[in-house]
């Protein structure tokens, strides 16, 4: 029988592989600069859309590939749109969001300051996919972000951690496996349901005053599981199940963030609730 220690690295690799499998092939050819249309620091918010929108990618994503559809969608609707890379590990290109999440939140804080300084806006709106919908909550609660953010829209965010469809339940059978994850990919370890990071994040409530929260979930999510744990509790929270808007929508964890225009329509509603229109299956063609 193989010693336990020899099984630790395969288990860590299995967890990482499961996460990588959720990333589209397009990620492999990410560029370091965004296509024209967003991350334009000469953009000035309009009276109709007075706040810049900061897009926060998910685990193993990056500032370009995660937003090839949503960034132009919002830009075409008159928003100043920006995206950042965060959570980089030394020697690991393209696949980001793997560093300690509290440090990633510090990167977000600096980026929001940069965007606000460039645009002259008093506050920004944040839209994040997966980890990118959860991590900003640390910024809002612990790093002063609530004074600089009007709304947070989380697309399939793992707000209360994930079991990766039950895969993380195997960790107790491999002593030291979670420690190995923390040492090699702390951003993954922080997202496991019950982690020290999530315990701190969610202690005392899910939200902070003064920020509007929207969560968009799909019942077919295979990564941020169980999907109902994505929902937030608190004042000024709107939790939305995609299939309640369109029962025919089969998007899972990746699709809801990368190209689902039904979800995008609901993002636009969350950013501008005063002019929201009904989101239906027909929103896929809007």
């Amino acid at each position: 029988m193989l010693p336990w220690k020899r099984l630790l690295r395969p288990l860590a690799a299995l967890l990482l592989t499961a996460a990588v499998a959720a990333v589209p092939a397009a990620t492999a050819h990410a560029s370091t600069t965004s296509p024209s249309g967003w991350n334009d620091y000469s953009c000035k918010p309009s009276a109709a859309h007075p706040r810049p929108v900061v897009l926060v990618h998910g685990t193993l994503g990056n500032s370009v590939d995660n937003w090839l559809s949503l960034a132009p969608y919002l830009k075409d609707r008159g928003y100043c749109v920006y995206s950042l890379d965060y959570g980089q590990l030394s020697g690991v290109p393209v696949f980001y969001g793997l560093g300690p999440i509290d440090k990633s939140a510090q990167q977000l804080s600096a980026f929001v300051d940069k965007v606000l300084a460039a645009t002259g806006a008093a506050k920004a709106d944040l839209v994040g996919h997966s980890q990118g919908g959860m991590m900003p909550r640390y910024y809002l609660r612990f790093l002063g972000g609530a004074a600089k953010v009007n709304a947070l829209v989380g697309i399939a965010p793992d707000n209360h951690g994930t079991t990766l469809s039950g895969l993380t339940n195997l960790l107790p059978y491999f002593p030291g496996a979670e420690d190995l994850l923390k040492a090699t990919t702390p951003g993954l370890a922080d997202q496991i349901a019950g982690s020290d990071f999530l315990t701190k994040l969610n202690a005392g409530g899910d939200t902070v005053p003064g920020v509007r929260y929207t969560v968009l979930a799909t019942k077919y999510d295979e990564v941020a599981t169980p999907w109902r744990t994505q929902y937030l509790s608190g004042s000024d929270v709107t939790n939305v199940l995609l299939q309640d808007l369109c029962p025919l929508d089969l998007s899972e964890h990746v699709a809801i963030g990368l190209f689902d225009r039904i979800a995008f329509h609901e993002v636009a509603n969350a950013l501008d609730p005063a002019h929201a229109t009904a989101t239906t299956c027909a929103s896929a063609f809007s």
Side-chain angles (χ1 to χ4, degrees):
M1 180 180 293
L2 291 173
W4 283 111
K5 288 186 178 180
R6 292 186 60 185
L7 295 178
L8 298 185
R9 290 192 180 278
L11 179 60
L14 181 61
L15 289 169
L16 185 58
T17 300
V20 171
V23 179
T27 303
H29 59 262
S31 62
T32 57
T33 58
S34 302
S36 61
W38 86 89
N39 277 346
D40 175 6
Y41 287 90
S42 67
C43 184
K44 298 300 179 184
S46 65
H49 301 302
R51 292 176 299 275
V53 177
V54 174
L55 304 177
V56 190
H57 66 74
T59 307
L60 296 166
N62 59 68
S63 62
V64 178
D65 287 339
N66 215 140
W67 308 119
L68 289 173
S69 296
L70 182 56
Y73 181 95
L74 295 175
K75 184 70 177 177
D76 290 347
R77 283 155 180 75
Y79 290 92
C80 293
V81 181
Y82 303 86
S83 61
L84 77 156
D85 289 318
Y86 71 85
Q88 301 92 330
L89 292 181
S90 178
V92 181
V94 179
F95 299 101
Y96 304 138
L98 295 173
I101 298 181
D102 57 347
K103 299 298 188 293
S104 294
Q106 293 175 15
Q107 292 179 273
L108 174 62
S109 177
F111 188 80
V112 170
D113 286 349
K114 177 182 177 180
V115 168
L116 294 180
T119 60
K123 291 187 175 184
D125 289 326
L126 307 181
V127 179
H129 180 215
S130 193
Q131 180 188 164
M134 174 271 289
M135 176 269 280
R137 293 178 49 229
Y138 190 95
Y139 163 56
L140 298 177
R141 180 177 293 276
F142 299 110
L143 303 178
K148 303 173 185 179
V149 172
N150 170 71
L152 169 61
V153 183
I155 305 172
D158 52 343
N159 280 314
H160 298 95
T162 179
T163 66
L164 272 179
S165 294
L167 187 58
T168 62
N169 294 331
L170 296 175
L171 289 171
Y173 295 98
F174 298 89
E178 191 164 351
D179 290 338
L180 178 63
L181 280 177
K182 290 178 180 178
T184 56
T185 53
L188 291 181
D190 283 346
Q191 294 178 77
I192 295 173
S195 71
D196 291 343
F197 172 83
L198 288 165
T199 298
K200 177 181 178 179
L201 176 64
N202 292 314
D206 292 345
T207 64
V208 296
V211 179
R212 287 190 294 105
Y213 296 82
T214 302
V215 173
L216 306 180
T218 170
K219 67 181 182 180
Y220 300 114
D221 201 311
E222 77 286 20
V223 176
T225 58
W227 66 263
R228 289 179 179 83
T229 62
Q230 298 173 25
Y231 284 174
L232 295 173
S233 298
S235 60
D236 222 352
V237 170
T238 302
N239 294 309
V240 180
L241 180 64
L242 203 59
Q243 285 72 34
D244 287 343
L245 306 175
C246 177
L248 300 178
D249 196 317
L250 300 179
S251 288
E252 40 64 72
H253 186 79
V254 173
I256 190 177
L258 265 63
F259 51 76
D260 191 315
R261 291 177 72 91
I262 296 171
F264 293 177
H265 187 272
E266 197 64 11
V267 169
N269 280 345
L271 294 175
D272 188 8
H275 298 94
T277 58
T279 300
T280 67
C281 294
S283 300
F285 307 101
S286 63

